[in-house]
């Protein structure tokens, strides 16, 4: 069996086509021509995405006594976004083309020049994230004669890439689409605005949340007061976020509406570094454990000059998508920046009091230690209480992942082309989605070999039993069994169960493994358990 994994340059095209054909992902409002940066998940896509979110929730919230969940509203008091810095600073610099009206991020327009000696062979303006992508885009846009001249020029080429954001003041760039003149750069806030209530003026302006994190910070005290959590503890949330991205692209990777799965983990400042390392490594391992085992997964620590002014450390879990290596999840030590900002803007106390620690110290402040002066004892106690180590603002470690990006990475990694024997033993090409069994939209497919001799009845019984046991099951009796296998391979079903002639003789069925293609005979009454044990790994 020869495996052809994600090395093909047209993987993205094949994956997008498969996702549409099999009902994983559709363009939003496709019947009206779609809308840029918005996507819909079809019947299989919604199962895949739910399974990823459930796995995260089980591993993060249910498996840890000191992590609780939250589900906040998408629209919050706009003061939240002033305090968080999003109203003032959540923007990208952008330019518009005066001719074709296209809009671009200033840091994404690159000017590529390729020359040999005095001869300029190629000059192009393109949209790209980095130098390599810019050169590739310029080459792709060049005509075949130019490409040949460059390919034949050997080592003597001089290639330069300059991003619009770096060109000297006074010089103007040109539009990558039509070559037209560009406007001066200006800041474009990425938050979607709306109005709450009947009035539509600045007093009723509100925002669709651009991250789930701020709902957690705004509820930090509520959770602390109601759930009796002690440091260190975390609050987790999965939910939709919205960003009016200037250039949504790369399928679902950069969308305008997307889902995040975020943890805000509150800890003592002295322990922040320890917890940062813990979460960085734990989250990286989670992706490996769920199938991103190839050398395409990377953990990248940010250089100090990349860090936000309040952050002490930040690392990205990155995946080498077919369109380039990009972030799946960021893990950051956000210090006490957010809680202090909300304390300042809301006037609410966001500090944490170490009451256990205080209990052991409290007797030092009894009246008899102050010659019976109760007032003096109380004053000294209050002063001691408000000082470190008893009262402080916790630090926050934030693992923040994108559900859609994770889904896309798992799809890219799983998409495989290989060969498998058909019912006549002839090798046939197949597309197989080698998803982790926990994520597979369908866990078990049940087929009667033929539609007679009581085989459908037995297959229906197994199908119903699997559903009762909580396994997503699919019943199929149409077409040759080889084709039925291939249909399930393409959507990642880990096990297919076939009821055949031998079943009537010895009460066993064939269980076929999607990845190894091994076929085992298993007694009918054990088959659901057999599959379940192999899925809950
Ligand atoms: N609270 C921190 C925060 O929101 P971020 O790096 O802006 O940090 C976290 O976003 C994660 O959310 C990213 O790693 C990515 O997976 C996902 N994400 C961000 N913007 C996205 C977009 N436009 N489309 C899809 N996912 C996005």
């Amino acid at each position: 069996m020869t495996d052809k994994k994600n090395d093909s340059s047209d993987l993205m095209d094949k994956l997008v086509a498969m996702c549409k054909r099999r009902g994983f992902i559709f363009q939003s409002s496709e019947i009206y021509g779609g809308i840029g940066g918005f996507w819909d998940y079809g019947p299989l896509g919604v199962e895949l995405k739910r399974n990823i979110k459930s796995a995260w929730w089980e591993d993060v919230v249910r498996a840890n006594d000191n992590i609780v969940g939250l589900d906040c509203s998408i629209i919050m008091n706009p003061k939240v976004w002033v305090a968080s810095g999003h109203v003032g600073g959540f923007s990208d610099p952008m330019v518009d083309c005066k001719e074709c009206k296209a809009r671009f991020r200033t840091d994404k327009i690159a000017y590529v020049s390729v020359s040999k000696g005095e001869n300029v062979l190629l000059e192009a303006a393109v949209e790209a994230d980095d130098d390599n992508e810019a050169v590739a885009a310029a080459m792709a846009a060049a005509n075949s004669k130019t490409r040949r001249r460059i390919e034949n020029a050997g080592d003597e080429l001089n290639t330069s890439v300059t991003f619009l954001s770096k060109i000297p003041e006074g010089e103007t760039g040109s539009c990558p689409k039509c070559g037209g003149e560009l406007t001066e750069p200006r800041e474009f806030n990425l938050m979607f605005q709306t109005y709450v209530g009947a009035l539509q003026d600045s007093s009723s302006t509100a925002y669709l949340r651009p991250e789930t994190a701020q709902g957690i910070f705004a509820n930090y005290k509520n959770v602390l007061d109601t759930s009796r959590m002690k440091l260190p503890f975390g609050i987790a949330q999965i939910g939709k976020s919205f960003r009016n991205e200037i250039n949504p692209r790369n399928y679902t990777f950069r969308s305008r509406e997307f889902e995040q799965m975020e943890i805000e983990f509150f800890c003592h400042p002295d322990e922040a570094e320890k917890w940062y390392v813990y979460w960085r490594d734990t989250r990286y391992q989670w992706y490996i454990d769920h199938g991103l085992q190839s050398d395409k997964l990377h953990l990248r620590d940010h250089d100090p000059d990349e860090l936000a002014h309040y952050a002490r450390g930040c690392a990205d879990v990155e995946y080498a998508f077919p369109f380039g290596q990009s972030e799946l999840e960021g893990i950051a030590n956000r210090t006490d920046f957010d809680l202090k900002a909300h304390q300042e803007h809301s006037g609410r106390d966001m500090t944490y009091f170490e009451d256990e620690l205080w209990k052991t110290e409290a007797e030092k402040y009894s009246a008899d230690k102050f010659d019976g002066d109760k007032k003096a004892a109380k004053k000294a106690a209050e002063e001691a209480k408000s000082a470190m180590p008893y009262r402080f603002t916790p630090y926050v470690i934030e693992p923040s992942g994108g559900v859609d990006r994770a889904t896309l990475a798992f799809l890219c990694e799983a998409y495989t082309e290989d060969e498998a024997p058909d019912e006549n033993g002839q090798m046939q090409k197949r597309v197989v989605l080698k998803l982790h069994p926990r994520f597979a939209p369908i866990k078990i497919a049940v087929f009667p070999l033929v539609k007679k001799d009581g085989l459908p009845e037995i297959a229906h019984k197994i199908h119903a039993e699997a559903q009762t046991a909580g396994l997503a099951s699919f019943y199929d009796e149409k077409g040759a069994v080889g084709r039925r296998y291939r249909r399930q391979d393409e959507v990642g079903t880990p096990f297919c169960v076939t009821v055949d002639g031998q079943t009537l003789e010895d009460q066993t069925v064939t269980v076929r493994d999607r990845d190894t293609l091994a076929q085992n005979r298993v007694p009918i009454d054990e088959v659901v358990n057999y599959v379940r044990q192999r899925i809950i790994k």
Side-chain angles (χ1 to χ4, degrees):
M1 193 165 72
T2 51
D3 253 24
K4 194 168 165 232
K5 280 198 79 90
N6 304 351
D7 52 0
S8 111
S9 57
D10 55 358
L11 168 67
M12 217 49 219
D13 291 342
K14 289 179 179 172
L15 188 70
V16 171
M18 190 282 289
C19 283
K20 171 146 197 232
R21 192 173 63 246
R22 298 309 309 267
F24 279 92
I25 300 172
F26 305 125
Q27 200 182 7
S28 166
S29 24
E30 190 193 314
I31 57 169
Y32 293 104
I35 171 167
F38 297 90
W39 298 94
D40 295 339
Y41 287 81
L44 289 175
V46 73
E47 293 292 340
L48 170 61
K49 205 171 159 195
R50 274 176 74 102
N51 291 341
I52 292 171
K53 288 188 283 184
S54 298
W56 185 89
W57 194 264
E58 276 165 28
D59 296 346
V60 166
V61 182
R62 300 248 168 94
N64 290 297
D65 290 339
N66 63 346
I67 300 193
V68 291
L70 202 60
D71 184 13
C72 304
S73 64
I74 284 170
I75 295 180
M76 301 169 74
N77 187 315
K79 287 180 187 161
V80 168
W81 307 109
V82 176
S84 68
H86 285 83
V87 168
F90 191 54
S91 53
D92 280 339
M94 52 138 238
V95 288
D96 290 315
C97 173
K98 291 181 182 169
E99 309 295 322
C100 71
K101 310 293 177 211
R103 177 167 284 179
F104 306 96
R105 266 173 63 170
T106 316
D107 55 344
K108 301 286 176 199
I109 299 183
Y111 300 100
V112 179
S113 165
V114 183
S115 52
K116 183 180 175 186
E118 297 292 295
N119 272 347
V120 177
L121 303 179
L122 170 65
E123 267 185 334
V126 291
E127 275 186 275
D129 281 333
D130 55 40
D131 289 15
N132 288 342
E133 206 185 306
V135 175
M139 285 292 278
N143 62 32
S144 53
K145 192 171 156 207
T146 305
R147 276 207 298 270
R148 263 202 313 278
R149 285 175 70 194
I150 292 173
E151 275 153 17
N152 294 337
D155 301 337
E156 299 159 49
L157 284 177
N158 184 11
T159 303
S160 80
V161 177
T162 312
F163 278 84
L164 178 62
S165 46
K166 298 266 164 57
I167 64 176
E169 224 172 289
E171 286 182 30
T172 48
S174 53
C175 170
K177 288 231 164 82
C178 73
E181 197 187 335
L182 298 172
T183 60
E184 284 294 308
R186 63 194 160 97
E187 291 298 318
F188 175 77
N189 196 299
L190 299 184
M191 283 197 293
F192 281 102
Q193 277 190 26
T194 186
Y195 299 99
V196 173
L199 273 183
Q200 295 206 355
D201 63 16
S202 58
S203 70
S204 62
T205 300
Y207 305 95
L208 303 193
R209 68 178 175 204
E211 61 173 19
T212 56
Q214 297 303 325
I216 298 181
F217 293 128
N219 276 291
Y220 155 77
K221 267 279 158 160
N222 282 338
V223 174
L224 195 61
D225 294 345
T226 54
S227 57
R228 297 167 59 196
M229 302 302 279
K230 299 266 175 238
L231 286 189
F233 74 94
I235 307 177
Q237 173 163 223
I238 298 179
K240 290 254 175 162
S241 293
F242 302 81
R243 297 182 190 177
N244 197 2
E245 299 282 0
I246 298 170
N247 290 321
R249 59 199 183 126
N250 293 329
Y251 202 27
T252 55
F253 180 82
R254 181 170 292 129
S255 315
R256 290 181 165 134
E257 175 175 342
F258 54 96
E259 272 186 283
Q260 289 185 307
M261 33 194 193
E262 295 196 292
I263 310 165
E264 305 303 328
F265 192 81
F266 302 92
C267 61
H268 192 284
D270 292 348
E271 295 198 326
E273 180 58 23
K274 178 183 93 179
W275 286 111
Y276 165 70
V277 170
Y278 169 82
W279 280 111
R280 186 194 62 187
D281 297 350
T282 303
R283 293 303 306 145
Y284 179 58
Q285 188 62 38
W286 190 83
Y287 291 98
I288 296 172
D289 291 345
H290 289 90
L292 299 192
Q293 284 158 353
S294 70
D295 54 6
K296 293 187 168 67
L297 190 71
H298 303 271
L299 185 61
R300 188 179 71 81
D301 284 306
H302 283 207
D303 291 332
D305 60 356
E306 277 183 89
L307 294 178
H309 64 93
Y310 52 79
R312 284 282 159 78
C314 190
D316 286 344
V317 179
E318 296 185 338
Y319 182 73
F321 289 96
F323 44 80
Q325 185 166 312
S326 299
E327 175 188 335
L328 287 183
E329 173 159 347
I331 299 95
N333 174 352
R334 297 180 65 102
T335 66
D336 52 10
F337 173 79
D338 304 274
L339 289 181
K340 280 196 166 151
H342 285 298
Q343 176 167 287
E344 193 190 320
H345 284 79
S346 69
R348 294 291 183 88
D349 177 15
M350 296 283 173
T351 57
Y352 179 84
F353 182 59
E354 286 271 22
D355 49 2
E356 291 299 321
L357 191 60
W358 174 251
K359 265 183 214 154
T360 60
E361 293 289 298
E363 64 181 39
K364 283 189 193 159
Y365 302 93
S366 60
D368 56 318
K369 298 270 174 12
F370 289 78
D371 298 331
D373 185 343
K374 283 188 186 160
K375 241 174 148 182
K378 196 172 167 207
K379 190 165 172 257
E382 287 309 320
E383 273 169 16
K385 264 184 181 179
S386 63
M388 279 278 252
Y390 306 111
R391 190 174 287 286
F392 55 89
T393 311
Y395 269 33
V396 174
I397 309 303
E398 179 192 67
S400 171
V403 181
D404 307 83
R405 287 192 187 174
T407 306
L408 187 57
F410 288 122
L411 279 168
C412 287
E413 181 86 4
Y415 186 96
T416 310
E417 292 173 353
D418 66 13
E419 290 180 346
D422 65 10
E423 46 277 336
N424 305 316
Q426 299 294 314
M427 294 308 269
Q428 299 284 351
K429 282 206 166 91
R430 71 165 182 165
V431 169
V432 53
L433 217 47
K434 293 189 173 177
L435 289 169
H436 189 284
R438 219 177 166 192
F439 295 160
I442 301 168
K443 310 291 190 217
I444 173 171
V446 191
F447 315 145
L449 187 63
V450 289
K451 282 191 263 179
K452 57 182 184 179
D453 302 332
L455 303 190
E457 286 75 7
I458 299 171
H460 271 302
K461 220 170 135 248
I462 297 171
H463 170 57
E465 202 188 313
Q467 286 177 316
T468 309
L471 290 182
S473 176
F474 186 80
Y475 176 87
D476 189 4
E477 57 179 27
K478 291 188 199 83
V481 75
R483 287 194 56 201
R484 282 183 259 169
Y485 283 144
R486 278 194 293 283
R487 278 204 291 267
Q488 293 306 314
D489 289 341
E490 200 182 28
V491 300
T493 307
F495 295 100
C496 291
V497 170
T498 304
V499 180
D500 53 21
Q502 196 181 324
T503 308
L504 300 174
E505 290 162 22
D506 63 6
Q507 305 295 301
T508 64
V509 290
T510 302
V511 182
R512 171 191 179 266
D513 184 302
R514 174 196 72 194
D515 298 340
T516 63
L517 299 174
Q519 302 205 5
N520 291 322
R521 299 291 311 180
V522 177
I524 295 175
D525 49 8
E526 285 172 27
V527 69
V528 168
N529 215 13
Y530 174 96
V531 169
R532 196 171 44 189
Q533 276 171 3
R534 281 156 182 78
I535 281 173
I536 306 168
K537 289 197 237 178

